[in-house]
Each structure stands twice: as C-alpha cells, then as structure tokens.
Amino acid sequence: MNGAARARCERSERSPLLLVDLQERLMAAMPETDRERTVRNAGRLVEAARQLGIPVEVSRQYPQGLGDTVEPLRSALEDLGDLATVTDKTAFSCCGEAALEQRLAGCHSVVIGGAETHVCVTQTALDLLDAGVTVFVAADAVCSRNPELRGNGLERLRAAGAIITNHESVLFEWLGDARAAEFKSVSQLLREV
C-alpha cells in the first residue's frame, strides 16, 4: 500500500471507531469548552458510523468510579444496536482487555477519540501501532484535563506514527465520494451546533 492510501481512512475499509473512556466523572473534570467540543465531535462520528454501518468500540475505565459514558453519547450508542460494543477495563490501554485487543488488532486501521489524550488514548494508540494497525486520532474528539498534556499526547502520537486528523476529515474519508447515498445526511451533521 502506498503512503497516500495508508494516510486515509479508506471507504472500502471504513475504519472502525474507538471511543476511549468518555465517562461522566472523567469528562466533568475537563475544561468546559474542551468537553463540549469532544462530546459534540464524538457524537458526529457516532452518528456517521450509524448511517454508514461502521462498528463502534467503546471503552469505560473503571465505571464503578468514573461512571457510564456521557450523554448524549450513551443514547446515540444505544441507537447503534449490534454495531456498538462496550468494554469495561482497568488497564489504561484498551489493549489490556483481551477481547477488545483482539477485535482492534484484527483491523487494518482504527479511528480514535476519547479521554484522556495523554493517558488512555496514547497508551491504546501506541499498543495498536505496535500491532501494525494504522491509527487515526481525531484531534478534535480527544481531550485532557490539562490542554498542555493533550498537546503533548498528540505530539507523542504523531512522532510514534499515528495520523493526527479531525472528525470532519474522517467523515468525508468514510464517505469517499459526494455521490455516496449517505453524503447529504452525513454532511448535514457538520451544520448542527
């Protein structure tokens, strides 16, 4: 595969979406604007995944302490039915859970959003890169309590070989063509506030 093809979330593959630890108590600790941006953009990715039939993996770090996935994402994920799989974990990397690691490592590429960028997102992405998976991190769908640590995490991931992108690029790469049947409804997501 040439470098240009490797750097795209190809329509033929429709890289699955992994949302890491977007949970009630953890997200409450995020700066408000970062929290709102992350949840909004993760929600757009989930809705596009629903329309396009793309699987979504969701992790929850120690839900007894950090709570469930935040609303409105929790409701959006319920609408996905069998396309969504929720995995509880205690390891910081999602790859610390054998079943989830097996599903993700079997993918050619994965799109990641979540929290915190410099901890669970970074450790998961590094493990996937080590497994030979192409990792796309939607920079506008990840957050950390400290914006400097978010930036550090993204820099570290870029240096390790992850592709730092944004949710809008992912949506259009999943679509691949303006003639796609879902183009109008998916592009409409970007007009919603």
Side-chain angles (χ1 to χ4, degrees):
M1 176 183 294
N2 68 35
R6 182 175 163 84
R8 291 194 314 264
C9 304
E10 304 233 22
R11 177 175 162 74
S12 62
E13 297 166 1
R14 290 200 170 148
S15 305
L17 174 62
L18 170 61
L19 296 180
V20 179
D21 306 345
L22 294 172
Q23 296 165 257
E24 295 159 341
R25 290 188 194 98
L26 183 58
M27 294 305 288
M30 302 298 150
E32 183 178 2
T33 55
D34 292 348
R35 177 178 62 244
E36 290 172 355
R37 171 190 40 81
T38 299
V39 171
R40 179 188 65 240
N41 295 337
R44 289 173 174 171
L45 288 165
V46 167
E47 177 54 24
R50 184 191 67 74
Q51 292 182 34
L52 297 167
I54 296 170
V56 178
E57 296 281 350
V58 179
S59 71
R60 297 185 308 184
Q61 177 73 23
Y62 185 65
Q64 300 89 330
L66 295 177
D68 203 349
T69 302
V70 295
E71 283 293 352
L73 294 177
R74 186 170 57 241
S75 294
L77 291 165
E78 289 171 4
D79 292 343
L80 287 171
D82 292 342
L83 282 176
T85 304
V86 178
T87 303
D88 293 339
K89 65 185 183 68
T90 56
F92 298 118
S93 171
C94 291
C95 295
E97 291 298 324
L100 180 55
E101 178 186 28
Q102 188 174 24
R103 289 191 302 274
L104 294 173
C107 298
H108 173 72
S109 58
V110 174
V111 174
I112 300 179
E116 286 191 79
T117 310
H118 65 291
V119 183
C120 295
V121 170
T122 292
Q123 289 186 36
T124 300
L126 292 174
D127 284 348
L128 290 172
L129 288 166
D130 285 348
V133 176
T134 301
V135 174
F136 296 88
V137 178
D140 57 354
V142 297
C143 60
S144 293
R145 286 168 290 158
N146 180 329
E148 285 182 34
L149 298 179
R150 175 184 173 271
N152 176 260
L154 291 172
E155 288 174 17
R156 184 174 173 205
L157 289 172
R158 179 178 280 121
I163 298 163
I164 308 304
T165 188
N166 60 77
H167 83 285
E168 189 167 331
S169 291
V170 170
L171 296 185
F172 285 105
E173 289 169 21
W174 277 344
L175 282 167
D177 193 309
R179 293 174 294 192
E182 304 90 350
F183 172 76
K184 187 174 182 179
S185 60
V186 169
S187 61
Q188 180 65 37
L189 296 172
L190 301 174
R191 296 183 184 95
E192 297 172 4
V193 178

PDB file of all heavy atoms in Angstrom, residues 52-91:
ATOM      1  N   LEU A  52     -23.466   4.784   8.211  1.00  0.00           N
ATOM      2  CA  LEU A  52     -22.606   4.063   7.269  1.00  0.00           C
ATOM      3  C   LEU A  52     -22.383   2.596   7.651  1.00  0.00           C
ATOM      4  O   LEU A  52     -21.704   1.872   6.925  1.00  0.00           O
ATOM      5  CB  LEU A  52     -21.259   4.782   7.151  1.00  0.00           C
ATOM      6  CG  LEU A  52     -21.335   6.199   6.573  1.00  0.00           C
ATOM      7  CD1 LEU A  52     -20.025   6.942   6.798  1.00  0.00           C
ATOM      8  CD2 LEU A  52     -21.694   6.161   5.099  1.00  0.00           C
ATOM      9  N   GLY A  53     -22.927   2.182   8.775  1.00  0.00           N
ATOM     10  CA  GLY A  53     -22.762   0.794   9.192  1.00  0.00           C
ATOM     11  C   GLY A  53     -21.365   0.458   9.681  1.00  0.00           C
ATOM     12  O   GLY A  53     -20.881  -0.657   9.516  1.00  0.00           O
ATOM     13  N   ILE A  54     -20.703   1.431  10.290  1.00  0.00           N
ATOM     14  CA  ILE A  54     -19.333   1.256  10.777  1.00  0.00           C
ATOM     15  C   ILE A  54     -19.362   0.835  12.247  1.00  0.00           C
ATOM     16  O   ILE A  54     -20.033   1.477  13.058  1.00  0.00           O
ATOM     17  CB  ILE A  54     -18.533   2.570  10.602  1.00  0.00           C
ATOM     18  CG1 ILE A  54     -18.410   2.890   9.119  1.00  0.00           C
ATOM     19  CG2 ILE A  54     -17.170   2.479  11.284  1.00  0.00           C
ATOM     20  CD1 ILE A  54     -17.874   4.260   8.828  1.00  0.00           C
ATOM     21  N   PRO A  55     -18.644  -0.205  12.613  1.00  0.00           N
ATOM     22  CA  PRO A  55     -18.631  -0.639  14.019  1.00  0.00           C
ATOM     23  C   PRO A  55     -17.999   0.415  14.931  1.00  0.00           C
ATOM     24  O   PRO A  55     -17.064   1.122  14.541  1.00  0.00           O
ATOM     25  CB  PRO A  55     -17.765  -1.903  14.002  1.00  0.00           C
ATOM     26  CG  PRO A  55     -17.580  -2.270  12.587  1.00  0.00           C
ATOM     27  CD  PRO A  55     -17.842  -1.071  11.753  1.00  0.00           C
ATOM     28  N   VAL A  56     -18.528   0.488  16.143  1.00  0.00           N
ATOM     29  CA  VAL A  56     -18.017   1.412  17.152  1.00  0.00           C
ATOM     30  C   VAL A  56     -17.678   0.606  18.405  1.00  0.00           C
ATOM     31  O   VAL A  56     -18.517  -0.125  18.920  1.00  0.00           O
ATOM     32  CB  VAL A  56     -19.043   2.512  17.500  1.00  0.00           C
ATOM     33  CG1 VAL A  56     -18.499   3.436  18.581  1.00  0.00           C
ATOM     34  CG2 VAL A  56     -19.423   3.306  16.252  1.00  0.00           C
ATOM     35  N   GLU A  57     -16.447   0.741  18.846  1.00  0.00           N
ATOM     36  CA  GLU A  57     -15.990   0.145  20.101  1.00  0.00           C
ATOM     37  C   GLU A  57     -15.931   1.264  21.139  1.00  0.00           C
ATOM     38  O   GLU A  57     -15.460   2.358  20.848  1.00  0.00           O
ATOM     39  CB  GLU A  57     -14.593  -0.467  19.936  1.00  0.00           C
ATOM     40  CG  GLU A  57     -14.519  -1.621  18.968  1.00  0.00           C
ATOM     41  CD  GLU A  57     -15.020  -2.930  19.557  1.00  0.00           C
ATOM     42  OE1 GLU A  57     -15.261  -2.999  20.793  1.00  0.00           O
ATOM     43  OE2 GLU A  57     -15.176  -3.883  18.777  1.00  0.00           O
ATOM     44  N   VAL A  58     -16.420   0.968  22.330  1.00  0.00           N
ATOM     45  CA  VAL A  58     -16.436   1.955  23.412  1.00  0.00           C
ATOM     46  C   VAL A  58     -15.783   1.318  24.631  1.00  0.00           C
ATOM     47  O   VAL A  58     -16.129   0.193  25.002  1.00  0.00           O
ATOM     48  CB  VAL A  58     -17.884   2.367  23.763  1.00  0.00           C
ATOM     49  CG1 VAL A  58     -17.904   3.369  24.908  1.00  0.00           C
ATOM     50  CG2 VAL A  58     -18.588   2.926  22.536  1.00  0.00           C
ATOM     51  N   SER A  59     -14.854   2.038  25.238  1.00  0.00           N
ATOM     52  CA  SER A  59     -14.266   1.548  26.481  1.00  0.00           C
ATOM     53  C   SER A  59     -14.741   2.423  27.635  1.00  0.00           C
ATOM     54  O   SER A  59     -15.030   3.608  27.459  1.00  0.00           O
ATOM     55  CB  SER A  59     -12.739   1.544  26.411  1.00  0.00           C
ATOM     56  OG  SER A  59     -12.234   2.856  26.429  1.00  0.00           O
ATOM     57  N   ARG A  60     -14.817   1.790  28.800  1.00  0.00           N
ATOM     58  CA  ARG A  60     -15.139   2.510  30.036  1.00  0.00           C
ATOM     59  C   ARG A  60     -14.111   2.100  31.084  1.00  0.00           C
ATOM     60  O   ARG A  60     -13.999   0.918  31.421  1.00  0.00           O
ATOM     61  CB  ARG A  60     -16.544   2.162  30.528  1.00  0.00           C
ATOM     62  CG  ARG A  60     -17.644   2.571  29.561  1.00  0.00           C
ATOM     63  CD  ARG A  60     -19.022   2.344  30.110  1.00  0.00           C
ATOM     64  NE  ARG A  60     -19.191   0.968  30.600  1.00  0.00           N
ATOM     65  CZ  ARG A  60     -20.346   0.490  31.070  1.00  0.00           C
ATOM     66  NH1 ARG A  60     -21.410   1.261  31.116  1.00  0.00           N
ATOM     67  NH2 ARG A  60     -20.418  -0.761  31.487  1.00  0.00           N
ATOM     68  N   GLN A  61     -13.353   3.082  31.552  1.00  0.00           N
ATOM     69  CA  GLN A  61     -12.331   2.849  32.575  1.00  0.00           C
ATOM     70  C   GLN A  61     -12.994   2.806  33.942  1.00  0.00           C
ATOM     71  O   GLN A  61     -13.613   3.788  34.364  1.00  0.00           O
ATOM     72  CB  GLN A  61     -11.280   3.969  32.528  1.00  0.00           C
ATOM     73  CG  GLN A  61     -10.208   3.889  33.584  1.00  0.00           C
ATOM     74  CD  GLN A  61      -9.225   2.765  33.317  1.00  0.00           C
ATOM     75  OE1 GLN A  61      -9.058   2.319  32.195  1.00  0.00           O
ATOM     76  NE2 GLN A  61      -8.561   2.309  34.368  1.00  0.00           N
ATOM     77  N   TYR A  62     -12.902   1.672  34.597  1.00  0.00           N
ATOM     78  CA  TYR A  62     -13.416   1.511  35.949  1.00  0.00           C
ATOM     79  C   TYR A  62     -14.744   2.259  36.136  1.00  0.00           C
ATOM     80  O   TYR A  62     -14.825   3.274  36.834  1.00  0.00           O
ATOM     81  CB  TYR A  62     -12.366   1.985  36.969  1.00  0.00           C
ATOM     82  CG  TYR A  62     -12.756   1.755  38.401  1.00  0.00           C
ATOM     83  CD1 TYR A  62     -12.902   0.468  38.900  1.00  0.00           C
ATOM     84  CD2 TYR A  62     -12.991   2.825  39.243  1.00  0.00           C
ATOM     85  CE1 TYR A  62     -13.276   0.257  40.218  1.00  0.00           C
ATOM     86  CE2 TYR A  62     -13.368   2.631  40.561  1.00  0.00           C
ATOM     87  CZ  TYR A  62     -13.511   1.341  41.041  1.00  0.00           C
ATOM     88  OH  TYR A  62     -13.887   1.131  42.341  1.00  0.00           O
ATOM     89  N   PRO A  63     -15.822   1.796  35.486  1.00  0.00           N
ATOM     90  CA  PRO A  63     -17.097   2.519  35.528  1.00  0.00           C
ATOM     91  C   PRO A  63     -17.697   2.669  36.922  1.00  0.00           C
ATOM     92  O   PRO A  63     -18.456   3.620  37.160  1.00  0.00           O
ATOM     93  CB  PRO A  63     -18.018   1.702  34.623  1.00  0.00           C
ATOM     94  CG  PRO A  63     -17.373   0.385  34.467  1.00  0.00           C
ATOM     95  CD  PRO A  63     -15.898   0.589  34.666  1.00  0.00           C
ATOM     96  N   GLN A  64     -17.326   1.803  37.881  1.00  0.00           N
ATOM     97  CA  GLN A  64     -17.830   1.954  39.245  1.00  0.00           C
ATOM     98  C   GLN A  64     -17.376   3.287  39.834  1.00  0.00           C
ATOM     99  O   GLN A  64     -18.077   3.879  40.656  1.00  0.00           O
ATOM    100  CB  GLN A  64     -17.351   0.809  40.143  1.00  0.00           C
ATOM    101  CG  GLN A  64     -17.793  -0.565  39.694  1.00  0.00           C
ATOM    102  CD  GLN A  64     -16.808  -1.217  38.719  1.00  0.00           C
ATOM    103  OE1 GLN A  64     -16.111  -0.558  37.947  1.00  0.00           O
ATOM    104  NE2 GLN A  64     -16.761  -2.546  38.746  1.00  0.00           N
ATOM    105  N   GLY A  65     -16.211   3.750  39.425  1.00  0.00           N
ATOM    106  CA  GLY A  65     -15.690   5.009  39.938  1.00  0.00           C
ATOM    107  C   GLY A  65     -15.898   6.188  39.010  1.00  0.00           C
ATOM    108  O   GLY A  65     -16.132   7.314  39.454  1.00  0.00           O
ATOM    109  N   LEU A  66     -15.806   5.947  37.692  1.00  0.00           N
ATOM    110  CA  LEU A  66     -15.877   7.052  36.724  1.00  0.00           C
ATOM    111  C   LEU A  66     -17.223   7.169  36.031  1.00  0.00           C
ATOM    112  O   LEU A  66     -17.435   8.093  35.248  1.00  0.00           O
ATOM    113  CB  LEU A  66     -14.762   6.904  35.683  1.00  0.00           C
ATOM    114  CG  LEU A  66     -13.341   7.028  36.227  1.00  0.00           C
ATOM    115  CD1 LEU A  66     -12.314   6.793  35.137  1.00  0.00           C
ATOM    116  CD2 LEU A  66     -13.131   8.379  36.899  1.00  0.00           C
ATOM    117  N   GLY A  67     -18.135   6.255  36.307  1.00  0.00           N
ATOM    118  CA  GLY A  67     -19.477   6.354  35.752  1.00  0.00           C
ATOM    119  C   GLY A  67     -19.586   5.797  34.348  1.00  0.00           C
ATOM    120  O   GLY A  67     -18.646   5.243  33.785  1.00  0.00           O
ATOM    121  N   ASP A  68     -20.777   5.968  33.799  1.00  0.00           N
ATOM    122  CA  ASP A  68     -21.104   5.472  32.468  1.00  0.00           C
ATOM    123  C   ASP A  68     -20.644   6.478  31.416  1.00  0.00           C
ATOM    124  O   ASP A  68     -20.230   7.602  31.730  1.00  0.00           O
ATOM    125  CB  ASP A  68     -22.623   5.258  32.369  1.00  0.00           C
ATOM    126  CG  ASP A  68     -23.012   4.259  31.292  1.00  0.00           C
ATOM    127  OD1 ASP A  68     -22.145   3.871  30.471  1.00  0.00           O
ATOM    128  OD2 ASP A  68     -24.192   3.876  31.254  1.00  0.00           O
ATOM    129  N   THR A  69     -20.758   6.095  30.169  1.00  0.00           N
ATOM    130  CA  THR A  69     -20.485   7.002  29.049  1.00  0.00           C
ATOM    131  C   THR A  69     -21.434   8.191  29.161  1.00  0.00           C
ATOM    132  O   THR A  69     -22.610   8.035  29.514  1.00  0.00           O
ATOM    133  CB  THR A  69     -20.701   6.262  27.713  1.00  0.00           C
ATOM    134  OG1 THR A  69     -19.831   5.116  27.692  1.00  0.00           O
ATOM    135  CG2 THR A  69     -20.404   7.162  26.528  1.00  0.00           C
ATOM    136  N   VAL A  70     -20.933   9.375  28.853  1.00  0.00           N
ATOM    137  CA  VAL A  70     -21.729  10.601  28.994  1.00  0.00           C
ATOM    138  C   VAL A  70     -22.890  10.622  28.003  1.00  0.00           C
ATOM    139  O   VAL A  70     -22.825  10.040  26.929  1.00  0.00           O
ATOM    140  CB  VAL A  70     -20.876  11.878  28.782  1.00  0.00           C
ATOM    141  CG1 VAL A  70     -19.828  12.026  29.862  1.00  0.00           C
ATOM    142  CG2 VAL A  70     -20.250  11.915  27.401  1.00  0.00           C
ATOM    143  N   GLU A  71     -23.943  11.325  28.408  1.00  0.00           N
ATOM    144  CA  GLU A  71     -24.997  11.679  27.474  1.00  0.00           C
ATOM    145  C   GLU A  71     -24.490  12.890  26.698  1.00  0.00           C
ATOM    146  O   GLU A  71     -23.726  13.675  27.235  1.00  0.00           O
ATOM    147  CB  GLU A  71     -26.293  12.054  28.218  1.00  0.00           C
ATOM    148  CG  GLU A  71     -27.055  10.881  28.750  1.00  0.00           C
ATOM    149  CD  GLU A  71     -27.656   9.980  27.666  1.00  0.00           C
ATOM    150  OE1 GLU A  71     -27.611  10.337  26.479  1.00  0.00           O
ATOM    151  OE2 GLU A  71     -28.150   8.924  28.028  1.00  0.00           O
ATOM    152  N   PRO A  72     -24.830  13.060  25.454  1.00  0.00           N
ATOM    153  CA  PRO A  72     -25.770  12.294  24.641  1.00  0.00           C
ATOM    154  C   PRO A  72     -25.144  11.080  23.941  1.00  0.00           C
ATOM    155  O   PRO A  72     -25.825  10.380  23.202  1.00  0.00           O
ATOM    156  CB  PRO A  72     -26.231  13.309  23.610  1.00  0.00           C
ATOM    157  CG  PRO A  72     -25.025  14.176  23.408  1.00  0.00           C
ATOM    158  CD  PRO A  72     -24.350  14.255  24.763  1.00  0.00           C
ATOM    159  N   LEU A  73     -23.865  10.820  24.190  1.00  0.00           N
ATOM    160  CA  LEU A  73     -23.216   9.694  23.520  1.00  0.00           C
ATOM    161  C   LEU A  73     -23.832   8.360  23.908  1.00  0.00           C
ATOM    162  O   LEU A  73     -23.992   7.474  23.076  1.00  0.00           O
ATOM    163  CB  LEU A  73     -21.712   9.676  23.817  1.00  0.00           C
ATOM    164  CG  LEU A  73     -20.905  10.843  23.256  1.00  0.00           C
ATOM    165  CD1 LEU A  73     -19.453  10.732  23.703  1.00  0.00           C
ATOM    166  CD2 LEU A  73     -21.007  10.902  21.753  1.00  0.00           C
ATOM    167  N   ARG A  74     -24.189   8.211  25.173  1.00  0.00           N
ATOM    168  CA  ARG A  74     -24.763   6.944  25.629  1.00  0.00           C
ATOM    169  C   ARG A  74     -26.024   6.609  24.830  1.00  0.00           C
ATOM    170  O   ARG A  74     -26.197   5.486  24.351  1.00  0.00           O
ATOM    171  CB  ARG A  74     -25.053   6.998  27.133  1.00  0.00           C
ATOM    172  CG  ARG A  74     -25.508   5.678  27.699  1.00  0.00           C
ATOM    173  CD  ARG A  74     -25.560   5.670  29.222  1.00  0.00           C
ATOM    174  NE  ARG A  74     -26.421   6.707  29.766  1.00  0.00           N
ATOM    175  CZ  ARG A  74     -26.001   7.693  30.573  1.00  0.00           C
ATOM    176  NH1 ARG A  74     -24.742   7.777  30.942  1.00  0.00           N
ATOM    177  NH2 ARG A  74     -26.848   8.582  31.034  1.00  0.00           N
ATOM    178  N   SER A  75     -26.909   7.573  24.646  1.00  0.00           N
ATOM    179  CA  SER A  75     -28.139   7.344  23.871  1.00  0.00           C
ATOM    180  C   SER A  75     -27.824   7.070  22.410  1.00  0.00           C
ATOM    181  O   SER A  75     -28.431   6.194  21.790  1.00  0.00           O
ATOM    182  CB  SER A  75     -29.068   8.554  23.974  1.00  0.00           C
ATOM    183  OG  SER A  75     -29.518   8.697  25.303  1.00  0.00           O
ATOM    184  N   ALA A  76     -26.878   7.804  21.850  1.00  0.00           N
ATOM    185  CA  ALA A  76     -26.501   7.597  20.444  1.00  0.00           C
ATOM    186  C   ALA A  76     -25.933   6.191  20.252  1.00  0.00           C
ATOM    187  O   ALA A  76     -26.209   5.540  19.234  1.00  0.00           O
ATOM    188  CB  ALA A  76     -25.488   8.651  20.007  1.00  0.00           C
ATOM    189  N   LEU A  77     -25.172   5.720  21.214  1.00  0.00           N
ATOM    190  CA  LEU A  77     -24.594   4.382  21.109  1.00  0.00           C
ATOM    191  C   LEU A  77     -25.676   3.304  21.208  1.00  0.00           C
ATOM    192  O   LEU A  77     -25.602   2.282  20.532  1.00  0.00           O
ATOM    193  CB  LEU A  77     -23.531   4.179  22.186  1.00  0.00           C
ATOM    194  CG  LEU A  77     -22.267   5.014  21.993  1.00  0.00           C
ATOM    195  CD1 LEU A  77     -21.442   5.047  23.267  1.00  0.00           C
ATOM    196  CD2 LEU A  77     -21.458   4.497  20.819  1.00  0.00           C
ATOM    197  N   GLU A  78     -26.694   3.545  22.020  1.00  0.00           N
ATOM    198  CA  GLU A  78     -27.805   2.593  22.112  1.00  0.00           C
ATOM    199  C   GLU A  78     -28.506   2.458  20.767  1.00  0.00           C
ATOM    200  O   GLU A  78     -28.963   1.376  20.407  1.00  0.00           O
ATOM    201  CB  GLU A  78     -28.780   3.031  23.202  1.00  0.00           C
ATOM    202  CG  GLU A  78     -28.222   2.851  24.603  1.00  0.00           C
ATOM    203  CD  GLU A  78     -29.078   3.472  25.688  1.00  0.00           C
ATOM    204  OE1 GLU A  78     -30.170   4.008  25.389  1.00  0.00           O
ATOM    205  OE2 GLU A  78     -28.656   3.429  26.857  1.00  0.00           O
ATOM    206  N   ASP A  79     -28.568   3.559  20.001  1.00  0.00           N
ATOM    207  CA  ASP A  79     -29.199   3.536  18.679  1.00  0.00           C
ATOM    208  C   ASP A  79     -28.412   2.685  17.679  1.00  0.00           C
ATOM    209  O   ASP A  79     -28.947   2.307  16.643  1.00  0.00           O
ATOM    210  CB  ASP A  79     -29.349   4.957  18.124  1.00  0.00           C
ATOM    211  CG  ASP A  79     -30.361   5.780  18.902  1.00  0.00           C
ATOM    212  OD1 ASP A  79     -31.170   5.189  19.654  1.00  0.00           O
ATOM    213  OD2 ASP A  79     -30.337   7.020  18.768  1.00  0.00           O
ATOM    214  N   LEU A  80     -27.150   2.399  17.990  1.00  0.00           N
ATOM    215  CA  LEU A  80     -26.319   1.607  17.081  1.00  0.00           C
ATOM    216  C   LEU A  80     -26.612   0.109  17.149  1.00  0.00           C
ATOM    217  O   LEU A  80     -26.235  -0.631  16.231  1.00  0.00           O
ATOM    218  CB  LEU A  80     -24.831   1.826  17.383  1.00  0.00           C
ATOM    219  CG  LEU A  80     -24.243   3.159  16.975  1.00  0.00           C
ATOM    220  CD1 LEU A  80     -22.842   3.297  17.532  1.00  0.00           C
ATOM    221  CD2 LEU A  80     -24.224   3.322  15.482  1.00  0.00           C
ATOM    222  N   GLY A  81     -27.242  -0.325  18.215  1.00  0.00           N
ATOM    223  CA  GLY A  81     -27.541  -1.751  18.351  1.00  0.00           C
ATOM    224  C   GLY A  81     -26.281  -2.594  18.303  1.00  0.00           C
ATOM    225  O   GLY A  81     -25.311  -2.334  19.012  1.00  0.00           O
ATOM    226  N   ASP A  82     -26.268  -3.601  17.420  1.00  0.00           N
ATOM    227  CA  ASP A  82     -25.147  -4.539  17.324  1.00  0.00           C
ATOM    228  C   ASP A  82     -23.866  -3.915  16.776  1.00  0.00           C
ATOM    229  O   ASP A  82     -22.808  -4.548  16.840  1.00  0.00           O
ATOM    230  CB  ASP A  82     -25.525  -5.733  16.433  1.00  0.00           C
ATOM    231  CG  ASP A  82     -26.585  -6.601  17.083  1.00  0.00           C
ATOM    232  OD1 ASP A  82     -26.778  -6.497  18.309  1.00  0.00           O
ATOM    233  OD2 ASP A  82     -27.219  -7.386  16.357  1.00  0.00           O
ATOM    234  N   LEU A  83     -23.951  -2.711  16.226  1.00  0.00           N
ATOM    235  CA  LEU A  83     -22.738  -2.061  15.726  1.00  0.00           C
ATOM    236  C   LEU A  83     -21.836  -1.569  16.858  1.00  0.00           C
ATOM    237  O   LEU A  83     -20.662  -1.307  16.641  1.00  0.00           O
ATOM    238  CB  LEU A  83     -23.091  -0.869  14.824  1.00  0.00           C
ATOM    239  CG  LEU A  83     -23.531  -1.174  13.412  1.00  0.00           C
ATOM    240  CD1 LEU A  83     -23.937   0.109  12.701  1.00  0.00           C
ATOM    241  CD2 LEU A  83     -22.424  -1.879  12.640  1.00  0.00           C
ATOM    242  N   ALA A  84     -22.399  -1.396  18.065  1.00  0.00           N
ATOM    243  CA  ALA A  84     -21.621  -0.871  19.190  1.00  0.00           C
ATOM    244  C   ALA A  84     -21.303  -1.970  20.190  1.00  0.00           C
ATOM    245  O   ALA A  84     -22.162  -2.783  20.528  1.00  0.00           O
ATOM    246  CB  ALA A  84     -22.388   0.250  19.883  1.00  0.00           C
ATOM    247  N   THR A  85     -20.062  -1.980  20.651  1.00  0.00           N
ATOM    248  CA  THR A  85     -19.625  -2.902  21.685  1.00  0.00           C
ATOM    249  C   THR A  85     -18.979  -2.090  22.799  1.00  0.00           C
ATOM    250  O   THR A  85     -18.078  -1.286  22.539  1.00  0.00           O
ATOM    251  CB  THR A  85     -18.604  -3.915  21.127  1.00  0.00           C
ATOM    252  OG1 THR A  85     -19.188  -4.579  20.010  1.00  0.00           O
ATOM    253  CG2 THR A  85     -18.215  -4.936  22.180  1.00  0.00           C
ATOM    254  N   VAL A  86     -19.445  -2.284  24.029  1.00  0.00           N
ATOM    255  CA  VAL A  86     -18.902  -1.581  25.188  1.00  0.00           C
ATOM    256  C   VAL A  86     -18.064  -2.565  25.998  1.00  0.00           C
ATOM    257  O   VAL A  86     -18.508  -3.666  26.298  1.00  0.00           O
ATOM    258  CB  VAL A  86     -20.031  -0.997  26.070  1.00  0.00           C
ATOM    259  CG1 VAL A  86     -19.460  -0.314  27.306  1.00  0.00           C
ATOM    260  CG2 VAL A  86     -20.884  -0.019  25.256  1.00  0.00           C
ATOM    261  N   THR A  87     -16.847  -2.129  26.330  1.00  0.00           N
ATOM    262  CA  THR A  87     -15.928  -2.959  27.111  1.00  0.00           C
ATOM    263  C   THR A  87     -15.462  -2.185  28.328  1.00  0.00           C
ATOM    264  O   THR A  87     -14.949  -1.069  28.202  1.00  0.00           O
ATOM    265  CB  THR A  87     -14.705  -3.360  26.262  1.00  0.00           C
ATOM    266  OG1 THR A  87     -15.157  -4.043  25.088  1.00  0.00           O
ATOM    267  CG2 THR A  87     -13.764  -4.256  27.046  1.00  0.00           C
ATOM    268  N   ASP A  88     -15.643  -2.766  29.503  1.00  0.00           N
ATOM    269  CA  ASP A  88     -15.126  -2.170  30.731  1.00  0.00           C
ATOM    270  C   ASP A  88     -13.693  -2.631  30.928  1.00  0.00           C
ATOM    271  O   ASP A  88     -13.336  -3.754  30.550  1.00  0.00           O
ATOM    272  CB  ASP A  88     -15.981  -2.586  31.923  1.00  0.00           C
ATOM    273  CG  ASP A  88     -17.389  -2.008  31.847  1.00  0.00           C
ATOM    274  OD1 ASP A  88     -17.593  -1.005  31.137  1.00  0.00           O
ATOM    275  OD2 ASP A  88     -18.285  -2.557  32.506  1.00  0.00           O
ATOM    276  N   LYS A  89     -12.878  -1.736  31.509  1.00  0.00           N
ATOM    277  CA  LYS A  89     -11.465  -2.052  31.657  1.00  0.00           C
ATOM    278  C   LYS A  89     -10.902  -1.414  32.917  1.00  0.00           C
ATOM    279  O   LYS A  89     -11.511  -0.490  33.472  1.00  0.00           O
ATOM    280  CB  LYS A  89     -10.678  -1.579  30.430  1.00  0.00           C
ATOM    281  CG  LYS A  89     -10.661  -0.069  30.231  1.00  0.00           C
ATOM    282  CD  LYS A  89      -9.969   0.308  28.919  1.00  0.00           C
ATOM    283  CE  LYS A  89      -9.875   1.800  28.719  1.00  0.00           C
ATOM    284  NZ  LYS A  89      -8.980   2.497  29.635  1.00  0.00           N
ATOM    285  N   THR A  90      -9.756  -1.901  33.328  1.00  0.00           N
ATOM    286  CA  THR A  90      -8.997  -1.246  34.390  1.00  0.00           C
ATOM    287  C   THR A  90      -7.610  -0.846  33.880  1.00  0.00           C
ATOM    288  O   THR A  90      -7.022   0.100  34.377  1.00  0.00           O
ATOM    289  CB  THR A  90      -8.851  -2.144  35.645  1.00  0.00           C
ATOM    290  OG1 THR A  90      -8.255  -3.374  35.262  1.00  0.00           O
ATOM    291  CG2 THR A  90     -10.210  -2.373  36.300  1.00  0.00           C
ATOM    292  N   ALA A  91      -7.107  -1.554  32.869  1.00  0.00           N
ATOM    293  CA  ALA A  91      -5.836  -1.165  32.245  1.00  0.00           C
ATOM    294  C   ALA A  91      -6.050   0.164  31.535  1.00  0.00           C
ATOM    295  O   ALA A  91      -7.143   0.443  31.034  1.00  0.00           O
ATOM    296  CB  ALA A  91      -5.397  -2.232  31.252  1.00  0.00           C
TER     297      ALA A  91
END
